[in-house]
Every structure is written in C-alpha cells, then in structure tokens.
Amino acid sequence: MLYNSQKPLGGGILNIVGIIAEYNPFHNGHLYQLCTVRQVLKPDGIIVIMSGNFVQRGEPAVFSKWARAEMALREGADLVIELPVCFSTATAEIFAESAVKLLLQSQVVNTLSFGIERYCEKELFYLGKLLSEEPDLFKHFMNDYLKKGFSFPAAREKAVIKYIMVKNVNLDTQLISDLLKKPNYILAVEYIKAINKLEAEFSIFPVLRQGHNYHDKELTQQYASASAIRQELFYRRQDFSNELINNLPDSTLQIIKKEIGAGRTPVFLQDFETILLYALRRMSAYELKTYFDVAEGLENRIKKAAQACGTLEQLISQIKSKRYPVTRIQRILIHILLHVPKEIVEIRTPQYLRVLGFTQKGALILKKMKSKATVPVITRASEYKNLNQSAKIMFEKDLLSSDVYSLAYKNAALRNGGSDFRRSIIYFNSFK
C-alpha cells in the first residue's frame, strides 16, 4: 500500500526515511537529496541501503563500500546497510525489490525517498501497478517483443505502450516512452512496483534530480553525474581537476584522497580483465549456462569471444547484441568473477541486515532495529557464522566480493584475504 508522503506519524512512532543508493561515489546530487529529505520531512533518521563493492551496472564500485559508507555518514545518513552483492549486481527489478525488502525487514522504516528525473505521479503509480500485476495481455505483448530480439527494457517499454493504447488508458504514451528511457525513473517504477508487490506501508518522497542527466560525461556544473565523475577518476586516477572538486562535497574529496594515499586506488572493471578472461577460458559452456541471465545459447557466444579476444573491451563488444546490451553482459561477468550461483539471485530475498556504519543518532535506530527486524542484524563479519545455511552462503559471497575487490589495489599489502574480518563498523559522531 502507498501513503501520501506527508502523512503524519503519531503515537511515538519514529519517522525513519529509507534511501536506496550506490554512492559511486557520493557527489553533490546525493548531498542535495539528503538535505532535501532533512529539510522537508524532518525525519528522526535516514537509513541507506547501499550496494557493496560491486554495483548494478556490472562494475566494481570506484571506491570500497567502507569508504562510500563513510562518505554517506559524513553528509547526513544515520545508518548504512549493505545490499548483498548477489542483488546489487542483478537486474534493476531484482536490485529494487531486494532493497525494498531490506527496508521492510528492518521494521523501522516508513518512508522511501528516491531521486527521479521528472515526477509524473499519475504515470509513475500506473506503471508501478501495471508491472506488479502483469496482466496476461501485457505479458503476451512482452513475450512477443522479446521473441523479436528486443532487450528486456526495450521490450517492456513497447509492451507498456501497446497495452495502454489497446486498453485506451488516458495517459500520454510519448511521455511514458520518454520516462522509461531514464535510469532513475526506471528505478522509481521498480520501487513502486516492489512496494505494491510486498504490500509495504511506505510513504514515498521523490526528489527531483539536479544538473546533468545520468549518463552525461561532462563536468561543467555543480551537479555532475556519477558517470562523469567516474570517467574523470578513470583518466586522472590521482590528479583532481577543478571541475571534479566542484562536483564533490569536501568530505568526499578528503576520503578519496585518504583512499588513494593508502594505496586503495580507484577500482574499475578493466582491473579484472586478466582474471575474467582466464575464468571464461577455463570454464565450459555448460558451466557458463549455470549463471543468472545466461540463456538462449549466450554461453556459446561468451565462450567463443573469450577465445578470440585479448581485452575486456573486445570481449564485451563481441558478445553484446540488441537483446544483450553492455550492462547485462557486465552483470553476467561479475557473477562469474564472484561465482554467484543463479539460485541465490533468483530468491530476491536478503537473509540479513549487514550494518556498515552509523552515527550517534543511527545507534539509537540500530538498537530499535535489532529488537524489531525480521532477519538477523549483523554488525561484525564474524557473526555470520550464527546464520542459517542459506544466509551463510549469501554472506560468504559478500566476503568474497571484498577479497576479490582488494586484488585491484595498488598497495599489494592490502590484497590479503579476509579483509571484512579486519574492518570495524564505522562510527561517525555527527554531534562533534
């Protein structure tokens, strides 16, 4: 169920806002969202569900989950919880549904805030309802477009438009078509869809995106996209242009400089090029087929490309198609890199709440969450040994993701395994 975002909360219930994010890295647009949430909703606290060391585009995060959690805590988040890597590297649908489930499992969140390029309430709620219910006629249209070779996002967009036209629904189909091409709007639809599906009693609070579009690579404004910032980091690695400085909060810049100084250099997919090529050449086509989203003979296409290509760029270029765009291929490669089995992705249900850090206010929320949550709350990596078997398997993928991620560090002394066991939960005293 959905409630108006201005619904008053009485009876001593805490007003806790949840945000689902990657913060890859944390920039001025993210800061704007947190400030807007604080100013308008005046919440008792903000919980962030954040991707760990690998993200939804099928790439490593440019800085570690610990660095990015600290960025968030320094700029207004009160509690940062890691989204398990099996979901943070999945489709937008699974990413959104599993993150909403985590907020629901916490039993302390009552509002979900998200960034969006344009807030068209009628269209947003209609699409969320349509996609959560998936009537037979819509599924028929969807399957028809998939059989014609369209990618999933393109097939869904066309199926939505056709369904609206056939049903003569009073909505602007051109507007909906435009909106379904915008990454943040697509995620917003997925959040509403998940809320409907799970019957979560969340208010929603959309915040309009500021500055450049999601994929823009220009660093000319105060609110540059994360894509533009990552590109700058990729080419410069350690040198910071004035444009980059203008697009990042001071605390983020300080953390980035600290990470680079320690040898925890910015990490990119290309850093795993040799490992991935080795893994693909070693595996059989049958083994490749056991990973999520590998179907319709794609395993043979991957195997052939692995033998013929000497770089990751060549590999992806040879595998991609209209049906399998770059990000879909990259997600498959990350699942292979981390050996994430298909079954663990398909359950869509996190088995624990892994806390990365909190503020003084967050400590109070954490205490309440521990008494109410429907899944175990983990504050130290060693506690995972108390989980049930399926939860252990999921958690071990998070542990592995940290150990694989560290192999890209410039400082060889930081590449030892078991890194999550040596890290303490982050505590940031926001009242200093």
Side-chain angles (χ1 to χ4, degrees):
M1 295 176 66
L2 297 171
Y3 291 82
N4 185 282
S5 59
Q6 302 303 314
K7 178 190 173 188
L9 294 167
I13 299 173
L14 288 177
N15 179 17
I16 306 296
V17 176
I19 292 175
I20 299 163
E22 291 184 331
Y23 294 152
N24 188 28
F26 188 97
H27 56 64
N28 287 343
H30 301 132
L31 177 59
Y32 175 83
Q33 182 190 12
L34 287 174
C35 289
T36 302
V37 167
R38 291 238 179 251
Q39 291 168 7
V40 178
L41 298 184
K42 296 179 172 51
D44 296 305
I46 297 174
I47 294 179
V48 173
I49 304 296
M50 191 189 78
S51 298
N53 289 326
F54 292 86
V55 297
Q56 203 265 327
R57 285 178 56 79
E59 297 174 335
V62 71
F63 293 103
S64 78
K65 62 188 180 186
W66 301 104
R68 287 160 33 247
E70 185 180 351
M71 292 173 190
L73 293 168
R74 286 182 174 274
E75 293 297 344
D78 294 304
L79 185 61
V80 179
I81 293 168
E82 180 179 4
L83 180 64
V85 70
C86 53
F87 306 126
S88 72
T89 55
T91 61
E93 179 183 38
I94 294 175
F95 171 90
E97 184 177 327
S98 59
V100 170
K101 278 183 181 175
L102 265 182
L103 292 174
L104 193 58
Q105 288 165 340
S106 77
Q107 291 291 292
V108 296
V109 172
N110 39 45
T111 300
L112 173 63
S113 177
F114 48 81
I116 195 168
E117 292 91 349
R118 180 175 175 182
Y119 184 44
C120 302
E121 185 174 351
K122 185 179 178 182
E123 289 76 13
L124 179 63
F125 281 83
Y126 178 83
L127 290 172
K129 187 172 187 293
L130 171 64
L131 296 178
S132 64
E133 294 176 350
E134 288 194 323
D136 289 340
L137 182 60
F138 170 77
K139 285 194 283 190
H140 170 73
F141 292 152
M142 181 78 180
N143 290 331
D144 188 43
Y145 285 117
L146 286 172
K147 286 176 184 176
K148 290 178 180 177
F150 288 98
S151 67
F152 180 86
R156 188 169 71 168
E157 178 194 330
K158 289 180 176 296
V160 164
I161 299 304
K162 189 170 182 179
Y163 183 86
I164 289 171
M165 293 176 70
V166 168
K167 288 293 186 177
N168 199 27
V169 181
N170 184 26
L171 289 172
D172 185 339
T173 54
Q174 184 57 55
L175 173 62
I176 286 177
S177 181
D178 291 343
L179 291 172
L180 286 175
K181 291 181 175 69
K182 298 181 183 297
N184 284 300
Y185 190 88
I186 291 169
L187 273 177
V189 169
E190 292 295 346
Y191 295 144
I192 301 299
K193 173 182 163 184
I195 289 171
N196 273 319
K197 181 178 177 181
L198 301 171
E199 298 183 339
E201 295 188 349
F202 288 165
S203 306
I204 67 159
F205 183 69
V207 176
L208 289 179
R209 181 184 176 85
Q210 300 297 303
H212 282 186
N213 291 329
Y214 183 89
H215 294 298
D216 283 353
K217 299 295 178 68
E218 295 294 323
L219 280 174
T220 57
Q221 298 185 18
Q222 179 186 4
Y223 296 106
S225 71
S227 296
I229 293 167
R230 287 195 299 274
Q231 178 179 269
E232 187 77 0
L233 286 166
F234 179 77
Y235 288 118
R236 291 180 178 269
R237 294 284 176 155
Q238 297 188 29
D239 299 324
F240 295 96
S241 65
N242 288 332
E243 289 84 2
L244 185 60
I245 291 171
N246 291 338
N247 282 282
L248 296 172
D250 288 342
S251 60
T252 294
L253 285 167
Q254 290 169 12
I255 293 166
I256 288 176
K257 288 175 181 177
K258 178 181 71 175
E259 292 296 293
I260 291 174
R264 292 186 287 268
T265 40
V267 177
F268 297 93
L269 187 59
Q270 289 78 1
D271 294 320
F272 301 97
E273 180 175 79
T274 305
I275 302 174
L276 279 166
L277 286 171
Y278 160 73
L280 295 176
R281 290 180 183 181
R282 178 189 59 77
M283 296 170 67
S284 67
Y286 176 79
E287 287 176 289
L288 290 171
K289 196 175 180 179
T290 64
Y291 288 94
F292 182 78
D293 235 5
V294 179
E296 303 167 325
L298 183 65
E299 66 277 10
N300 298 316
R301 191 180 179 95
I302 293 173
K303 189 66 182 172
K304 183 179 178 181
Q307 292 299 118
C309 300
T311 70
L312 202 54
E313 185 178 359
Q314 290 171 353
L315 178 85
I316 294 169
S317 178
Q318 191 158 321
I319 299 170
K320 73 176 183 179
S321 64
K322 188 163 83 168
R323 181 72 180 268
Y324 289 91
V326 171
T327 51
R328 191 171 177 182
I329 298 302
Q330 289 181 175
R331 284 194 292 269
I332 290 169
L333 292 178
I334 294 300
H335 285 180
I336 291 168
L337 177 70
L338 302 177
H339 191 41
V340 176
K342 180 192 302 185
E343 296 76 20
I344 201 174
V345 180
E346 290 174 338
I347 66 169
R348 303 182 178 210
T349 304
Q351 305 287 301
Y352 47 82
L353 288 145
R354 169 82 187 280
V355 179
L356 297 178
F358 55 87
T359 63
Q360 191 169 343
K361 187 185 293 185
L364 301 175
I365 301 169
L366 178 58
K367 184 178 180 181
K368 189 176 184 69
M369 190 172 77
K370 281 184 174 181
S371 68
K372 299 185 68 175
T374 58
V375 293
V377 178
I378 304 293
T379 55
R380 292 192 303 274
S382 59
E383 294 172 349
Y384 97 94
K385 294 171 184 176
N386 300 321
L387 297 172
N388 63 41
Q389 190 58 30
S390 63
K392 275 184 185 177
I393 292 170
M394 186 177 289
F395 198 95
E396 283 167 355
K397 292 304 170 188
D398 295 339
L399 297 175
L400 176 63
S401 73
S402 293
D403 290 343
V404 171
Y405 184 88
S406 69
L407 294 175
Y409 286 154
K410 181 179 179 181
N411 184 347
L414 299 174
R415 299 177 196 157
N416 294 348
S419 58
D420 270 10
F421 293 102
R422 297 190 295 274
R423 287 298 305 247
S424 299
I425 195 168
I426 300 168
Y427 173 67
F428 175 65
N429 187 353
S430 55
F431 294 107
K432 281 183 180 178

